[in-house]
Amino acid sequence: MIHLAVLFLCFFSSYSASVKGHTTGLSLNNERLYKLTYSTEVFLDGGKGKPQDSVGYRISSDLDVMLLWRNPDGDDDQLIQVTITAVSVENAGQQRGDKSIFKGKSAAKIIGKDNLEALQRPMLLHLVRGKVKEFYSYENEPVGIENLKRGLASLFQMQLSSGTTNEVDISGDCKVTYQAQQDKVVKIKALDTCKIERSGFTTANQVLGVSSKATSVTTYKIEDSFVTAVLAEETRAFAVNFQQSMAGKIVSKQKLELKTTEAGPRMVPGKQVSGVIKAVDSKYKAIPIVGQALQSVCKGCPSLAEHWQSIRKHLEPDNLSNAEAARSFLAFIRHLRTARREDILQILKAEKKEVLPQLVDAVTSAQTPDSLEAILDFLDFKSDSSIILQERFLYACGFASHPDEELLRALLSKFKGSFASNDIRETVMIIIGALVRKLCQNEGCKLKAVVEAKKLILGGLEKPEKKEDTMMYLLALKNALLPEGIPLLLKYAEAGEGPVSHLATTVLQRYDVSFITDEVRKTLNRIYHQNHKVHEKTVRTTAAAVILKNNPSYMDVKNILLSIGELPKEMNKYMLTIVQDILRFEMPASKTVRRVLKEMFVHNYDRFSKSGSSSAYTGYIERSPHAASTYSLDILYSGSGILRRSNLNVFQHIGKAELHASQVVIEAQGLEGLIAATPDEGEENLDSYAGMSPILFDIQLRPVTFFNGYSDLMSKMLSASSDPVSVVKGLILLIDHSQDIQLQSGLKANMEIQGGLAIDISGSMEFSLWYRESKTRVKNRVAVVISSDVTVDSSFVKAGLESSAETEAGLEFISTVQFSQYPFLVCMQMDRSEAPLRQFETKYERLSTGKGYVSRRRKESLVAGCELPLHQENSDMCNVVFPPQPESDNSGGWF
């Protein structure tokens, strides 16, 4: 015990002097050599695993620390030398036995002779008032080795008084808080405040994003007024919001401890630290203590062309509904992000037309300067031979996870040029609107290209050069959601012609509640109640939906309820079911509706007994404490029994965040003449028309027309089959998160999380005069894959966690109406197909020489198919999950 007490007295008299005689930081005694042990270790696991189930490694060493120089004018200005010796690398807590990749290998074999020599080369720290003013090392040492030294050097930086300040260390310029107590000083680093240059991006929408939490605590232990040890722990945890089982955690620890002290060399004389360093070794150079980016090199990886050939068959059109297609799509995107323009262009030019659309999806989704240049060079918007490829490129731009100004600038340039197809021209403008919104969400509203695009959209609505362009600019605004566009929307909604008025009203429907002001509500009330002019049913019901969704006043609700009974027959039933759906699903407006219904004049049998076939229903697809998926279906018929509008929506909710996953609106008008029926009020002169308008993952796509005009209708009725029309088909990068993390130990962590979707949405509308029957069908088929790859790299050994989850699912809605008599017969059905859910986890440790350890796990379950209720109250039928199959575990294999 006496010997131990002596050691504590000797340990870092730096520390002893700091505590007793200094008020700032650490200080070493003259002519003493301090012998310490140092270790840094890292654990990587899926978030809830036990330490022994994790992968990782520990780097241990001895340290020699001594004081080289102290400023004669102040004890708090000193130069110390730190030398790493006796390095070893081993597993961190895991019992691998013969399977350990480190067994029987020396440090020189694991780290490499040159790397080990650089690691054991002394480093110099210039400490001023306890903070590292300069970090000195030899030039051109390997980045990974320098970072390990930086991680150790950062532990020497501390202060002895409580308070909050900013410090620069390996993590960057960070806000730190010191808590000084009698037996310890605790330093808490706010890692989210650290300013350090690192590549990375994430998806803006929280539903599709990644939640992360980072903590850093360093404890300086003090006994009998002396610092005896330094313990640091940094934790980085993450989870995919959309799939909480996709989670992981990195734990990095450092430990510095005194073993003994002995007589050391004399200090180097001098008044300036620069002269002292030259006297010690002129090869020393001041380098930043902030960690530098470590570039990983892929050894033995296939070329881009080889990779493409290996996955090409999975991306053929017939295979797009399989999870393998989405998995291959994600893997190829990661490779494309490191590829050169020339290599990408070569593959595009050599590919056949069947697989080219999927290749265009992948190249565009890579979102690198090289991939953008390659695809723009490849596509010719003046040619009508590649319209499908142009459309796929544009939609991939709309779904871009982290678009930049250059992409928007490229589309603006294309819009000013000529097009072989007017549909493509319209799609360019619609996607420009989507990019404007995404860039504004990332604080890019003042970018030059964004300002130009906003002027183009708003100017097109204020003074359209061609009347037919109005719909195009409204669709662009439906994506951009510019607040300054609301006055224009109100003008078009109230004074525009039927289709224009309806579209303008649906645009208002997408704005946040904060933008639905009293002025907006007054205009919508005038539209619904037809105070100034007669409007189509679709316009009026949409206006009512906007009012009821956005904090309606008592009188707003009362007037809408009083109108029921005075409306056209099917519109009466539609508005009645809208109100009932609000009450049943406990929507925000339900409290106000219940207050109004207490008035007997409003709530009476005559008003609430209206018959009809129109309906509105909202239900849950899936529900948990963390998240919910909802669907809503509202159908409006004309008085003659012909479908006027069918609106199917799917929303994903996580906490307070919401994602409009999909919307498919089928509209028809002007068909009453085919069955000698009388059109409803305000719809006497409508042209025959049917079409579909889709929204996918918050992006409005270009509407699809089934037929337009009586002659077009008759020709398609005589020649058409029941084959569905494809609304959107392709591969979408849904989740995209990339992050380089500088751990304070000096190790580099990297997080790559992507979610891919292979999707096919189609719709059809059949109309039979002979059977006096109409049928609409909307079919959604998707395959989803989410994959994450988290690694911790030291340049000579790497630990990794690869996780993935995948499923294949389908949702189909069929509506059949027989209008041979009134009331007409309606049959509606929505089915969710059986969906397998597969999850995979791979953990590994790998040396730079190639030898590795790997552990694999697999889990499968099956979600039963079901029929989703459209009028029923009971939706329990869709909560059936087959028991999961036993996990398979394959641990300890070699690769």
Side-chain angles (χ1 to χ4, degrees):
M1 288 296 294
I2 295 175
H3 177 66
L4 191 61
V6 171
L7 288 181
F8 284 156
L9 287 171
C10 296
F11 170 54
F12 278 15
S13 285
S14 72
Y15 299 77
S16 73
S18 296
V19 174
K20 288 191 170 183
H22 297 263
T23 59
T24 52
L26 306 177
S27 177
L28 274 68
N29 271 356
N30 303 348
E31 301 178 10
R32 301 298 300 174
L33 176 64
Y34 299 90
K35 297 282 188 178
L36 303 99
T37 59
Y38 172 68
S39 66
T40 179
E41 59 187 14
V42 64
F43 302 90
L44 180 57
D45 196 61
K48 297 181 180 179
K50 299 177 182 178
Q52 59 266 31
D53 296 330
S54 64
V55 288
Y57 46 89
R58 178 188 297 115
I59 304 171
S60 304
S61 67
D62 292 336
L63 295 183
D64 290 343
V65 181
M66 62 182 180
L67 179 67
L68 290 181
W69 170 84
R70 191 191 305 278
N71 191 331
D73 299 327
D75 289 348
D76 282 337
D77 186 357
Q78 53 194 332
L79 182 69
I80 65 174
Q81 176 180 289
V82 181
T83 305
I84 298 172
T85 63
V87 180
S88 64
V89 186
E90 59 191 345
N91 289 111
Q94 307 90 346
Q95 301 301 318
R96 298 275 187 260
D98 292 338
K99 297 176 183 178
S100 172
I101 62 175
F102 307 110
K103 185 177 181 181
K105 291 183 173 60
S106 64
K109 186 74 173 177
I110 296 171
I111 300 175
K113 184 179 178 181
D114 293 341
N115 283 346
L116 182 60
E117 183 181 333
L119 183 63
Q120 294 182 334
R121 196 173 292 132
M123 57 180 166
L124 307 182
L125 302 180
H126 183 196
L127 297 177
V128 178
R129 297 183 181 88
K131 305 301 171 70
V132 178
K133 184 177 181 181
E134 293 289 355
F135 171 71
Y136 294 92
S137 185
Y138 279 33
E139 280 189 305
N140 302 320
E141 287 185 340
V143 174
I145 299 301
E146 280 188 342
N147 282 345
L148 288 174
K149 290 182 174 181
R150 290 182 173 103
L152 170 59
S154 296
L155 293 182
F156 286 80
Q157 183 163 254
M158 63 94 70
Q159 68 182 43
L160 297 170
S161 58
S162 297
T164 299
T165 185
N166 270 61
E167 286 185 357
V168 178
D169 63 7
I170 186 169
S171 303
D173 188 345
C174 309
K175 180 181 177 182
V176 296
T177 300
Y178 284 93
Q179 299 172 352
Q181 302 175 25
Q182 185 175 359
D183 59 346
K184 64 182 177 182
V185 174
V186 178
K187 178 167 72 172
I188 301 172
K189 187 189 301 182
L191 293 172
D192 58 340
T193 67
C194 293
K195 298 175 183 177
I196 184 171
E197 288 188 13
R198 284 292 183 273
S199 60
F201 47 79
T202 192
T203 307
N205 189 287
Q206 188 177 341
V207 173
L208 300 176
V210 176
S211 296
S212 60
K213 184 178 181 181
T215 60
S216 169
V217 178
T218 303
T219 303
Y220 296 83
K221 291 187 177 181
I222 300 173
E223 293 184 16
D224 297 329
S225 301
F226 308 126
V227 175
T228 59
V230 184
L231 304 173
E233 181 169 327
E234 177 180 10
T235 302
R236 303 272 185 164
F238 74 92
V240 178
N241 294 336
F242 186 71
Q243 183 70 30
Q244 287 286 295
S245 62
M246 297 280 293
K249 183 168 68 173
I250 301 169
V251 179
S252 175
K253 298 181 179 181
Q254 294 170 275
K255 184 177 182 180
L256 185 62
E257 212 169 14
L258 174 72
K259 290 303 176 184
T260 186
T261 64
E262 58 187 54
R266 291 177 175 271
M267 291 193 300
V268 179
K271 292 187 176 181
Q272 300 294 328
V273 70
S274 56
V276 173
I277 292 171
K278 286 182 179 180
V280 173
D281 191 337
S282 60
K283 294 180 181 179
Y284 279 111
K285 302 293 180 183
I287 61 175
I289 195 172
V290 176
Q292 303 300 297
L294 174 64
Q295 301 298 327
S296 299
V297 178
C298 187
K299 297 180 180 179
C301 292
S303 67
L304 186 69
E306 291 170 339
H307 189 173
W308 171 246
Q309 288 303 317
S310 70
I311 66 166
R312 182 186 178 281
K313 63 182 179 181
H314 301 305
L315 299 182
E316 292 177 353
D318 293 341
N319 297 329
L320 284 185
S321 60
N322 300 325
E324 185 65 42
R327 195 183 311 119
S328 300
F329 170 66
L330 295 179
F332 194 57
I333 285 176
R334 286 193 285 270
H335 202 152
L336 282 165
R337 285 176 169 167
T338 63
R340 298 179 306 142
R341 168 190 167 278
E342 294 78 12
D343 296 333
I344 299 172
L345 191 57
Q346 184 179 359
I347 294 176
L348 285 166
K349 290 180 177 180
E351 190 48 68
K352 297 178 181 179
K353 65 178 182 180
E354 294 83 11
V355 188
L356 255 179
Q358 288 73 259
L359 180 57
V360 169
D361 289 339
V363 172
T364 310
S365 299
Q367 301 172 72
T368 65
D370 283 86
S371 65
L372 179 59
E373 286 182 25
I375 195 67
L376 290 175
D377 287 349
F378 176 70
L379 295 174
D380 181 6
F381 285 82
K382 297 177 182 178
S383 170
D384 60 0
S385 62
S386 61
I387 287 177
I388 292 177
L389 301 181
Q390 296 167 31
E391 186 176 61
R392 293 285 278 267
F393 160 70
L394 292 170
Y395 284 159
C397 290
F399 296 124
S401 57
H402 55 282
D404 58 11
E405 186 183 13
E406 192 58 38
L407 176 59
L408 178 58
R409 192 179 292 116
L411 293 191
L412 287 170
S413 175
K414 291 296 180 185
F415 184 76
K416 296 171 185 176
S418 57
F419 293 86
S421 167
N422 190 60
D423 286 349
I424 295 298
R425 176 177 177 268
E426 291 179 0
T427 305
V428 170
M429 176 48 61
I430 293 169
I431 298 305
I432 284 174
L435 295 180
V436 166
R437 184 183 180 200
K438 289 191 174 186
L439 288 168
C440 283
Q441 287 174 336
N442 288 327
E443 301 180 353
C445 256
K446 294 183 180 179
L447 294 172
K448 187 176 179 180
V450 175
V451 173
E452 181 184 349
K454 288 164 68 173
K455 287 181 180 178
L456 187 60
I457 296 170
L458 297 175
L461 290 173
E462 289 173 351
K463 295 179 181 179
E465 295 181 5
K466 294 183 289 185
K467 188 177 180 180
E468 52 268 29
D469 282 350
T470 301
M471 298 285 281
M472 175 184 71
Y473 287 114
L474 283 173
L475 289 167
L477 185 56
K478 193 171 183 179
N479 276 331
L481 296 181
L482 302 174
E484 52 267 47
I486 290 178
L488 291 168
L489 291 174
L490 297 179
K491 181 186 77 172
Y492 280 110
E494 190 167 18
E497 298 177 359
V500 172
S501 176
H502 182 221
L503 179 54
T505 313
T506 63
V507 177
L508 287 168
Q509 201 170 16
R510 297 200 69 203
Y511 277 84
D512 185 77
V513 61
S514 60
F515 296 107
I516 307 302
T517 61
D518 290 340
E519 181 185 355
V520 175
R521 270 191 284 269
K522 287 177 183 177
T523 303
L524 294 172
N525 272 298
R526 288 197 301 267
I527 292 171
Y528 176 75
H529 297 289
Q530 302 189 118
N531 297 134
H532 290 173
K533 62 175 286 190
V534 175
H535 293 276
E536 297 176 24
K537 291 194 299 294
T538 53
V539 180
R540 297 179 67 189
T541 52
T542 304
V546 179
I547 294 169
L548 293 172
K549 181 186 174 184
N550 295 280
N551 295 333
S553 67
Y554 185 90
M555 289 308 299
D556 288 338
V557 174
K558 182 175 180 179
N559 287 333
I560 288 174
L561 290 175
L562 288 174
S563 71
I564 298 176
E566 309 299 327
L567 306 170
K569 185 176 296 184
E570 283 298 325
M571 188 174 170
N572 270 326
K573 182 63 175 178
Y574 180 85
M575 291 306 303
L576 181 60
T577 57
I578 286 287
V579 172
Q580 290 170 337
D581 195 44
I582 289 173
L583 294 172
R584 183 189 57 80
F585 204 69
E586 294 291 340
M587 296 181 188
S590 59
K591 292 182 179 179
T592 306
V593 172
R594 285 193 170 89
R595 285 176 53 212
V596 174
L597 289 178
K598 291 180 180 180
E599 294 190 31
M600 293 298 294
F601 182 69
V602 176
H603 191 191
N604 57 63
Y605 177 80
D606 178 64
R607 197 179 312 284
F608 281 80
S609 62
K610 299 302 179 183
S611 63
S613 298
S614 298
S615 65
Y617 187 90
T618 302
Y620 287 103
I621 298 175
E622 191 175 357
R623 191 180 188 184
S624 70
H626 169 72
S629 297
T630 63
Y631 69 95
S632 66
L633 173 67
D634 59 84
I635 300 180
L636 175 64
Y637 293 100
S638 68
S640 56
I642 298 176
L643 176 72
R644 193 68 175 84
R645 183 184 65 207
S646 165
N647 186 357
L648 175 63
N649 292 276
V650 176
F651 286 88
Q652 180 69 36
H653 307 266
I654 294 180
K656 295 182 179 179
E658 178 185 272
L659 173 69
H660 197 171
S662 70
Q663 179 188 71
V664 180
V665 180
I666 294 180
E667 293 186 68
Q669 66 178 37
L671 303 181
E672 286 78 9
L674 297 175
I675 57 172
T678 303
D680 293 336
E681 180 190 10
E683 301 182 357
E684 296 85 357
N685 301 315
L686 296 180
D687 292 332
S688 299
Y689 167 83
M692 180 187 295
S693 177
I695 289 176
L696 192 60
F697 301 113
D698 266 340
I699 305 298
Q700 170 69 55
L701 308 182
R702 184 177 58 81
V704 176
T705 299
F706 296 148
F707 59 81
N708 192 1
Y710 185 79
S711 59
D712 189 24
L713 166 62
M714 295 309 296
S715 66
K716 289 181 177 177
M717 283 182 64
L718 295 173
S719 62
S721 67
S722 59
D723 294 338
V725 176
S726 178
V727 180
V728 60
K729 185 174 185 178
L731 296 158
I732 300 173
L733 183 60
L734 198 60
I735 298 171
D736 198 13
H737 180 91
S738 178
Q739 186 177 4
D740 275 341
I741 302 170
Q742 179 61 65
L743 298 177
Q744 63 187 28
S745 61
L747 301 173
K748 170 205 171 184
N750 179 260
M751 191 183 300
E752 296 287 338
I753 303 171
Q754 278 84 35
L757 181 75
I759 188 166
D760 186 357
I761 298 180
S762 59
S764 63
M765 183 175 181
E766 303 170 36
F767 191 86
S768 173
L769 287 176
W770 182 262
Y771 294 105
R772 299 177 74 82
E773 178 181 275
S774 68
K775 179 181 286 188
T776 59
R777 183 189 301 264
V778 177
K779 190 172 184 179
N780 295 264
R781 184 68 187 170
V782 298
V784 183
V785 174
I786 303 174
S787 67
S788 72
D789 184 6
V790 183
T791 60
V792 180
D793 195 357
S794 66
S795 76
F796 50 85
V797 60
K798 177 188 289 187
L801 169 67
E802 297 175 353
S803 306
S804 67
E806 62 186 42
T807 188
E808 296 145 356
L811 189 68
E812 184 174 20
F813 168 69
I814 303 172
S815 172
T816 305
V817 182
Q818 292 183 349
F819 45 85
S820 57
Q821 59 183 355
Y822 193 88
F824 40 83
L825 302 178
V826 180
C827 175
M828 293 186 297
Q829 182 179 354
M830 187 154 64
D831 298 326
R832 188 181 73 187
S833 63
E834 183 179 273
L837 177 62
R838 298 179 289 269
Q839 294 177 279
F840 307 89
E841 183 180 85
T842 301
K843 304 172 188 175
Y844 64 87
E845 297 159 354
R846 182 185 299 139
L847 294 174
S848 60
T849 55
K851 187 178 179 181
Y853 165 88
V854 63
S855 170
R856 293 187 177 94
R857 295 174 64 190
R858 175 189 177 110
K859 184 178 180 181
E860 294 189 22
S861 59
L862 190 66
V863 179
C866 66
E867 182 179 340
L868 293 164
L870 299 176
H871 287 289
Q872 310 157 42
E873 296 297 331
N874 183 8
S875 60
D876 291 341
M877 66 181 75
C878 276
N879 294 328
V880 181
V881 179
F882 288 0
Q885 300 179 10
E887 293 185 9
S888 60
D889 194 341
N890 177 18
S891 302
W894 299 97
F895 62 92

